[in-house]
Amino acid sequence: MNKAILLFALFSFYFINSSANPGDSTVERKKYFTQKLNGTITLDGKPDEDAWNKVEWAGDFVQWQPSEGKAPSVQSNFKILYDDKFLYVAYQCYDHAPDSIVKRLSRRDQFPGDWIEINIDSYHDKRTGFSFTISVSGVRGDEFISNDGNNWDASWNPIWYSKTHVHDKGWSAEIKIPFSQLRYGNEKEKVWGIQVHRRLFRKEERSLWQRIPVGSSMWVSGFGELHGLNNIPVHKQIEIAPYITTQVDKYKKQPGNPFAKGFDGKFTAGVDGKLAITNDLILDFTVNPDFGQVEADPSQVRIDGFQNFFPEQRPFFVESRNIFDYQLTGSQLGGDYDGDLLFYSRRIGSSPHGFPNTAPGEFVKYPQNTSILGAAKFSGKTKKGFSIGILESVTEREMATIDNNGQKRKEMVEPLTNFFVARLQQDYNGGNTIIGGIFTGVNREKGLSDILHRSAYSAGLDFQHQWKNRAWYVRGNFIFSNVNGTKEAIYRTQTAFEHLFQRPDAKESELDPDRTSLTGTGGTIKFGKQGGKPGKLGQVFRFESGITYRSPSLELNDMGFLQTANEINQFTWAGLSFQRAFSIFRNARLNINHWAKWDGSGRFLFDFINFNTGATFTNNWQASFGISYNPFEISNNALRGAAAMRRPIGFGPNFNVSSDFRKKIYASINLNGFVGFENTVKSKNASLTLVLQPLDALNINLSASYNYYWRRQDQFVRNITYNNMTRSIVSSVEQKTLRFTARVNYNITPDLTLQYYGQPFITRPLYSNFAYVSSPMAKEFNDRFHVFTPNEISYSNGSYLVDENNDAVTDYSFGDPDFNFVQFRSNLVVRWEYKRGSELYLVWSQGNSPDAFSDLSSPIFNSLFDNAFAGDAGRNIFLIKWTYRFLK
């Protein structure tokens, strides 16, 4: 398959080089000269004060999308002034049809309707920047830009000020950015990189002040320059934000249970803060944080053994998370296949790992999450290109309380734990070469020593080098892990799903019950092309190829996220990207991909090929199509520690179409599936999203998805010891999953919003046709299993009884694996930013996981709505959170 990709690459090079447009080879870098403010500016969105006359308007914007390099439909101008505390920017956004300006409202960082933004590279490192976006409706957006525009972190929420005004020639805006919110060096005469970027929503047209050619791999490194910033005082940012929270929980009372009286209440207080150690290094801290306003996680249930991954949503950990990003990832496929993290912040404050020993009739008060006592981050970047990120957090010792007829006792369910991560990077050669490293550590007090590591460490070194205007790159990393604990804890790690040292055919690893530590390694090396000189149609050839390695003993899950160890993954993808409008297209792409996998013994495990294409049309509809082929697969973990097993091969298509997102109503449909040859696997997924914008201030997003998953015979059920052998019980499975999601956002003002999120969810796997694995590597599918005859298996009182030798005596049994899981989660949040950086939250959260486990016969739709909204089974949380931010 790699030969096919090579031929595709050679054809693409010929196509690019034979039609190259020499006019894109050089772009003049613009300069803007600012001056210090004399007089005063009233921030009202109308740049008509005399003070603005001290500097000239800058303009001459060019289109970036859809017709890069051409004149935009409407022009834009801007001015920049400064004083000792603020940077002032004025915009004039001209429009021939002011009545057609789209004034949609949204939450912060949603970037609705028409807007204009300034990106500021105050480090002038040509890699990082700060983005400040203002929409015509007054909604602010702000992002921290890193990796030369490849990462945009919208969780960065600085304090800044803005006003807009619509007039008969278009609209105007004024913004005021405190220097304390930026990071810069102490040189007297500063040169910063800047870019001004405007969106004309009704045409979905983007225009830039500093032209950046289509197909280039640049963003920050292509900015124009801001000159004239002289003798700016050093501003050390100081922000202190205390908070108080009042919470009431209401739920169904359980008679006799002293911990379930139907009503709980609590009052908490804490403080968040920012303290600038220097002008470019800042300390963030939080004491006794509360995240009650954060949206609930979506429901997820898996039957394949892999962990669920949930994105971080807690503000303290979301902000500046890109600093700590360190992935052992091989390719753009990502997901379960190849995307592990050395730092996964959801480990901090997760659910407790232990559960108390209880007797029948005892009641338990169990903490839902581990409390975070405090956390601190130290981060920033110096003028010389040295960036640093350090995070330290301590979580509380958690105890469960057990009641036995009024006698109470406590048992530890989570020990006191310290989490630490440090990330360092140094830029060389103008940011074209980067060397970095990371270290993480988890240390726990004594407790739960049979299941938890006493300490866990990981470290990594990484590099990146780019050349030819950053179009070509080579990147790599190497990582190391070490965990320590009791024999029981390390044995548990060796036999966990991620490792499975107990596999009888695992030549590359050995199970040692006496070990008290485990050390592993991993790494990635890849190279590719991410930009270049486009052809006449704006076509650019891109590709990437590389290898990722994980040793059998690599263990990251104390602080990071590891799906599975003991893999060598090879990946290659190549594609043509058409980034200029042509014919009926605004842009288009063609990609071909190949992945392969081996284990540490050299056994070939996996082969996967994919072709996909997609386009945005001139009417702003979008469509994509792809087809995948899986010609070979062996799974080392399908039988959860028994021998490796050959898996069915097959193919699957995927299709997506979306209507014009600018309209008041638009929709998106996604279809994908997979079919195993010989009628072995069927997977069908369908989702529909409908977005309504009946008012500029009201956005309604409704979606529904249905998943049908069927496997014939090779779904794992349980491993059982029989006659000193391991019997791997398998079956057919039919799993149906249905999910509805509603999101409603209503903006009373840009700073006063009402947000609703609700999701009913059901999944129901039904198992049948039980068997045991007799020859897991047999080439013929049916030869891999011995299917139980009616004389060998029977059902009684929720268990299956197996009599293999037909002597009328049960040889072994296993529980009925069928289940029906229903859940409903919702959040209603009123958020009011009554003062810049100070907020009031009113929150109503509802969680309902009813006892619908055995509701297997009713239709799945009926089961979902009969159970999800059962009024007496839910838990309602009412919360008020008030914060006030003190600034210096």
Side-chain angles (χ1 to χ4, degrees), residues 446-466:
K446 290 183 179 179
L448 302 181
S449 59
D450 57 332
I451 63 172
L452 292 178
H453 302 134
R454 184 69 186 278
S455 62
Y457 305 103
S458 68
L461 296 173
D462 60 293
F463 72 91
Q464 172 179 300
H465 179 65
Q466 302 172 103

Side-chain angles (χ1 to χ4, degrees), residues 771-876:
Y772 67 80
V773 179
S774 55
S775 181
M777 296 298 291
K779 188 172 182 180
E780 294 298 324
F781 183 81
N782 292 330
D783 293 341
R784 299 169 200 167
F785 316 102
H786 169 82
V787 180
F788 293 126
T789 66
N791 292 331
E792 293 175 324
I793 190 168
S794 61
Y795 184 79
S796 177
N797 297 323
S799 294
Y800 287 93
L801 312 179
V802 179
D803 176 15
E804 282 196 21
N805 53 16
N806 291 310
D807 62 358
V809 177
T810 299
D811 297 318
Y812 53 87
S813 64
F814 56 91
D816 186 349
D818 293 350
F819 67 88
N820 186 67
F821 178 78
V822 177
Q823 189 171 64
F824 174 67
R825 289 179 169 178
S826 69
N827 294 83
L828 178 65
V829 180
V830 177
R831 174 189 173 273
W832 178 29
E833 187 176 6
Y834 60 90
K835 176 180 178 290
R836 284 290 182 259
S838 302
E839 298 165 318
L840 176 68
Y841 292 95
L842 306 177
V843 182
W844 172 33
S845 298
Q846 185 179 35
N848 188 8
S849 299
D851 184 10
F853 196 84
S854 58
D855 183 15
L856 303 174
S857 58
S858 62
I860 190 170
F861 186 89
N862 293 357
S863 180
L864 172 61
F865 286 95
D866 287 346
N867 291 285
F869 302 105
D872 60 348
R875 188 179 190 94
N876 291 276

Side-chain angles (χ1 to χ4, degrees), residues 9 27 47 63 65 77 164 210 251 256-257 263 326 479 568-569 600 608 792 861 864:
V27 175
Q63 272 197 60
Q65 295 174 1
N77 292 334
T164 62
Q210 171 65 62
Y251 51 90
N257 186 345
F263 182 91
Y326 197 104
I479 67 170
I568 302 169
N569 298 334
F608 195 87
E792 293 175 324
F861 186 89
L864 172 61

Side-chain angles (χ1 to χ4, degrees), residues 2-3 146 168 183 198 293 303 343 349 357 381 395 412 419 486 637 676 712 820 845 861 886:
N2 280 331
K3 291 181 179 179
S146 59
D168 59 357
R183 303 289 171 262
R198 181 181 174 186
Q293 77 276 15
I303 61 173
F343 175 52
N357 296 312
K381 186 172 186 177
T395 57
M412 181 189 294
F419 296 87
T486 63
N637 50 34
R712 178 167 68 89
N820 186 67
S845 298
F861 186 89
F886 296 91

